[in-house]
Amino acid sequence: MAFKGRMSTKKFPEDTDEDKQMILNMCIYASDHCNPCKNSIMYFKWMAAEMEEYYQQGDIEKKMGYTVTEGYDRTTCNPFKYQIGYIEVVVEPLMTAWTDFLPLICKQEVISKGLDENKKLILQKIQETNNYGPNNNQDMLQ
């Protein structure tokens, strides 16, 4: 059973190895995807580094004559649109489920002060960058 489904049972967490392992797995998974929940300065630094890693992979794919993985082409990818997709599909559902399990103060810190603020900034950046031409995308994060 998935974490969210298991959480909906009245007995969660039980003192079982299965529940302990599920909580540990969620902790690791959440820590792996928590960067959009950090303060904006840290998040944007991480985002620039992450996107550069993807762009370098796309550069190699292009150089080798392969089809460039979607979102990895520095000349066509809007990094802010990429990030809003990542936030809405992966981070938001994950962190909502995780913080529902944690004390309320964690939800306020992670969701309200981190994720929601960064999501607003990313949406603002999407609006600002809608006028960028396809060859200017690589300069967006600078």
Side-chain angles (χ1 to χ4, degrees):
M1 180 182 292
F3 186 79
K4 195 170 182 177
R6 185 73 182 104
M7 247 181 40
S8 67
T9 65
K10 291 182 181 179
K11 295 182 179 182
F12 183 77
E14 294 182 52
D15 191 17
T16 65
D17 288 344
E18 182 182 342
D19 280 1
K20 290 174 186 176
Q21 187 64 55
M22 183 175 283
I23 291 167
L24 290 172
N25 289 350
M26 272 299 287
C27 185
I28 291 169
Y29 190 58
S31 67
D32 213 24
H33 294 283
C34 70
N35 285 298
C37 302
K38 295 179 180 175
N39 75 60
S40 297
I41 292 170
M42 290 176 68
Y43 169 54
F44 277 82
K45 283 182 181 181
W46 169 83
M47 180 179 62
E50 177 193 44
M51 294 307 299
E52 182 56 31
E53 179 183 335
Y54 297 157
Y55 293 157
Q56 287 179 12
Q57 179 178 326
D59 295 343
I60 292 168
E61 291 171 347
K62 196 179 285 188
K63 186 176 182 179
M64 295 180 76
Y66 297 143
T67 302
V68 177
T69 303
E70 188 170 341
Y72 288 24
D73 187 338
R74 69 175 71 242
T75 62
T76 60
C77 175
N78 180 322
F80 304 111
K81 288 181 180 179
Y82 186 95
Q83 284 296 307
I84 201 68
Y86 170 63
I87 287 171
E88 290 177 346
V89 173
V90 177
V91 179
E92 212 164 24
L94 168 67
M95 291 303 176
T96 299
W98 183 233
T99 57
D100 283 348
F101 172 71
L102 299 173
L104 181 60
I105 187 71
C106 296
K107 187 171 203 119
Q108 293 166 342
E109 289 292 319
V110 171
I111 303 293
S112 301
K113 289 186 180 178
L115 189 59
D116 288 346
E117 287 180 12
N118 286 330
K119 190 174 176 182
K120 286 177 194 171
L121 287 171
I122 292 291
L123 290 169
Q124 180 183 340
K125 290 288 188 185
I126 289 171
Q127 290 299 321
E128 291 172 7
T129 58
N130 275 338
N131 296 326
Y132 273 67
N135 293 323
N136 294 327
N137 285 351
Q138 59 195 10
D139 298 326
M140 284 185 198
L141 292 173
Q142 302 190 3

